[in-house]
Amino acid sequence: MTTADASLGQSSSSVMRSLWRDRRIVDAVLGVVIALSVGLGVIMWTARSASDGLDTAASAGSAIFKAEMAALGGEAVQNAKGADAVGPFAAQYKNQTGVEALSIVSAPDRILLADGTGAAPRPLGVGDKDLYDRVVRLAAHAETNEIEGQKRKPEILIAQSDQGRYRASAPIRSADGDIVAMAEVETAPVVAGGLRLLLWSSGGLVFGIAGIVFAMRQFPGLGTQKARAGLVVVVSGLILMVIALGVSAQIAAKEEGVLSSLALAQENAFAAAEAAAAAQGVTLSKEPSATSVRSLQARGTATLFRDSALFVVAGATLMSLFGSLGGARRLGQTFVAHRSAYAYVAPAVLGALLLVFFPLIYGVLMSFTDTTLFNVNTPIMERWTGLSNYGAILGDFDIVQRTADGLRVDYQNFYWTVFVTLLWTVSNVVLGVTIGLGLALVLNTPGLKGKTVYRILLVLPWAVPNYITALTWRGMFHPQFGVINQGIELAGGERISWFDHFGTSFLTGLATNVWLSFPFMMVVSLGALQSINRDMYEAARLEGASWWQQFRHITLPSVQPALIPSIILSVVWTFNMFNVIYLTSAGEPAGANEILITKAYKIGFEQYRYGYSAAYAVIIFMILFVYGYFQVKATSATEAKG
Amino acid sequence: MFRTSNKFILRLLALAALVVPTLIGCGTQESEQEGMELVMWHAYRGGERAALEEVIGSFNAENADRGVRVRLLAVPFDAYADKLSAALPQGKGPDLFIFAQDRLGGWVESGKTVEPIGFYLNPTDHQRFLPGMVDALTYRGAVYGVPLNFKSLALIRNADLAPTEPQTTDELAAAARAFMVARPGEFGLSFEYANPDFQGALFNAFGGGVVSDRGEAILDREQNRKAFELLLKWRDEDKILLPEPTGALVLTLYNEERTPFVISGPWFLGEVDPALNTIVSPLPIIPEADGAPIRPWLLVEGVFVSETAPSSLEAFRVAQYLTSPEAATIFALKGRQLPTIKAIYDDPRVMNDPILSGFRQQLESSAPLPNIPEMAHYWTPGTTAMTQVLRSGRPPADALAEAQAEMDRSIAEMRRSGQ
């Protein structure tokens, strides 16, 4: 029996088993599965929300009328004769357009409701609060748009009514352009067609996996893992791109359909309004509409979707490398091998996911948007601005400006703040380590009396909550009543206005933070010092080494493995030491003394620019991440040196 | 293998024994009583809190048969506004809350926070409040809160150290100087002049301001520059101002009778030594401003209803109750607050109180703090401008121009983001 016959005779399950055992194929398939599931998941989710938005617009758009039912609204509704005319007008309009529900609410000071049955308008009752609020809200939106000179607020409100129908409320303007009434129509929901998302995603997954397996069986010569990973990237990237562009084309088509049906509906509605008004003996003006079709929810949805989808494709394709380079398989193997250990760790992992990773990812996402107080509740796609926040932060090189007073430093500039932060970090860590190590050396003197007492006293600054310390030091630096200035005066010097200049203000923060940080360094150094063998010093002294040489060649190398991780920690903590800067000097004078984290806080919570502030925070994170990575590599900190 | 899996199962059971009762406990926190419970947040302490609790206690007693109850929750003030902004849109916040008008515009713009209650107010309701109170809680034509009390700065003086009430700022400066001559080393006029809240009082007096009704920054104006110059005159020529003032420092000096004049609000009086002979009077007029009085910003605290409240009508009824004459009397006499209804000021107990009547008189020349979201963009550039002028000696015109540019930029960015 030839090998070919043997392979033909094998059952499909044994074929699958032999595939499974082939590590290379498993890796590649995992890579494709990861990329496709992440990519498809995100793309389908955004496609669904985009599609829902279009559905809403489509449903309401089947009967919306333009805002220039002007002449009728203005005069007819505002005087007594008109109040009677509103009822019949509404009834005729309803008959001619076939809308199911229609109501017209007259000017707020009259508040009369006509409901299209032809009956006389009635005043609003207690149950009509929602209606009243809509009238006021519509007027407020129009006023806001007029003040800001842009169509920021929608002037046609679309929502679902209690009965599940779609309701559109539009303003009625008088000839002067004032809003004198509001008209509402309700229609049954109109289904604008699905996107066949399930078909796209399942098709994509099948093609992707089959394609990879096929390619790998056909080309067993794909030697290196990197080549296979590259193949996976290319294949999954291509499939995702095809799907993204396909879905995006469908959304564009749907959007076009919705917009054209909206425009058509408006024409029909206006024609019906003209006819109804003519029957009342009123001619409507033909001024251009104050509210355009584009003010409805169909606003460049397709373009937004396509841009964000391509972004997602890039990200998901990169994620395939986790699978195709073997990471996913090895992770799965360890999960299986150490199941009980993972079960114990699971609650902590869950907690970390919720409390650390989710806010982190949310913050990173927000940094790509221009979220501010105004748009914090809108869908995230509408706020997406890509890398513009980063560009604005990192691209601003105007640190020094030439003004009438000479050269002025722009203290709000990112690079100035980076400079201050680096200066702050370096000076604090250097001073903290020096003082900490020095005190540890003193405390380590053999035969020192009262060592325990000294240790407790010297650790106290670390024990007191740091915001109390910061506020206390702020009080001590008060130019008039502060202890430090009074001490200087007693010594014969002149009072210093600590917070008036950058240099002195920086010193206040430095003093406070060194006070806070030296105990930590001292404790770490003391622990390391106590593990040094005394005999080495004896031997060195016998050899004639000076104190400095003993320090350099015995003490420092032994203390280093404990001190290096502490320095890394201290650098990260000091870089982000919000309390001391914010509470002691508050960035005085005029923001010159701020570090990156206080600047990010002020931007986020005093100016409400959440997206920009999130970008700031991500930049801080990247700086510290790069620093930490290289520092650990460079010093191989976890290994002790002989 | 068998032993390991047994232990594992036992440990899992132990874990479940901890977790499951907690989950059950969470479930039974929902009220099983009939009727409605409304949760109300506030940030009061001390006397104000006691007064509020008393009023709500009598509301609960009177409405027990209807099954409507209000549960109060005191929230620390520092995080109060942010807690509200975060919790309300998620439906996790209160049904009612007491807050001033400064964040109203921002809340309305970000949505899902406050419910308009103008629908429930009829003309008689509008009439019973002092003028300007309901307007302070109105944003773009919609009324969002029922005004509860108002606060503003006023001139607080120790009548033993300064017997006469100064009518003009020149008289005030003279009296402060006289005190400093009699008591060398002390300071005549103590207030947090570096705080932008206080700066608004001078801006408004000279006819300047921070934002227009249409949300445009109006910092870079001649009138504001003159306001800065008056402050600098007090500090550098008259030398009556306390350097580096903080709230705690001003309070300490006043309580130790080391300063006769303080400019502050009702919150200051809560911590003043009651043994001192304290009198509140309206802030003096400024001759340099054509005789206009100093116009501090008026803060109106209102009762707001959340969009997620189960019944806005019931919540509104609670707010109405809090602004009834009986409740207002308790707030005025026990909480030492200034109610917004006209009727309370006919009560001799209120009118004869030197503190309450002083703040009431100050109302005549107060200007409401703008409640529009653009106002929030003032505080940081405003503080920067003041610091530059006061500490670094920058000319006021330049500092104001730069602050104006910064405000214009951040307002434009905020508006652009809303598209």
Side-chain angles (χ1 to χ4, degrees), chain A residues 10 12 26 52 135 174 315-316 325 358 384-385 562 568 582 584 610:
Chain A
Q10 279 176 318
S12 58
V26 167
D52 286 345
V135 172
S174 71
L325 291 175
F358 173 67
W384 200 264
T385 56
I568 297 176
Y582 190 75
T584 307
Y610 301 126

Side-chain angles (χ1 to χ4, degrees), chain B residues 33-109:
Chain B
Q33 304 155 330
E34 277 192 14
M36 191 180 308
E37 187 186 70
L38 296 168
V39 176
M40 181 164 175
W41 285 9
H42 65 93
Y44 289 148
R45 299 172 304 176
E48 295 180 323
R49 180 178 176 168
L52 180 64
E53 284 172 354
E54 189 180 325
V55 171
I56 290 292
S58 40
F59 175 87
N60 286 342
E62 285 177 31
N63 287 276
D65 51 343
R66 287 200 310 128
V68 176
R69 241 179 35 146
V70 174
R71 183 159 61 90
L72 284 174
L73 181 65
V75 179
F77 186 74
D78 305 324
Y80 187 37
D82 291 327
K83 275 204 167 98
L84 286 169
S85 304
L88 283 168
Q90 313 290 331
K92 302 271 188 293
D95 302 311
L96 289 157
F97 60 96
I98 298 178
F99 204 80
Q101 87 268 31
D102 52 323
R103 297 231 179 181
L104 179 59
W107 281 335
V108 175
E109 289 297 338

Side-chain angles (χ1 to χ4, degrees), chain A residues 422-458:
Chain A
L422 289 175
L423 184 64
W424 163 259
T425 309
V426 166
S427 48
N428 268 303
V429 172
V430 163
L431 277 175
V433 168
T434 315
I435 295 178
L437 187 56
L439 283 173
L441 285 171
V442 167
L443 278 183
N444 201 35
T445 320
L448 183 69
K449 291 265 190 305
K451 201 191 289 190
T452 330
V453 175
Y454 293 136
R455 262 222 302 269
I456 293 174
L457 284 178
L458 286 171

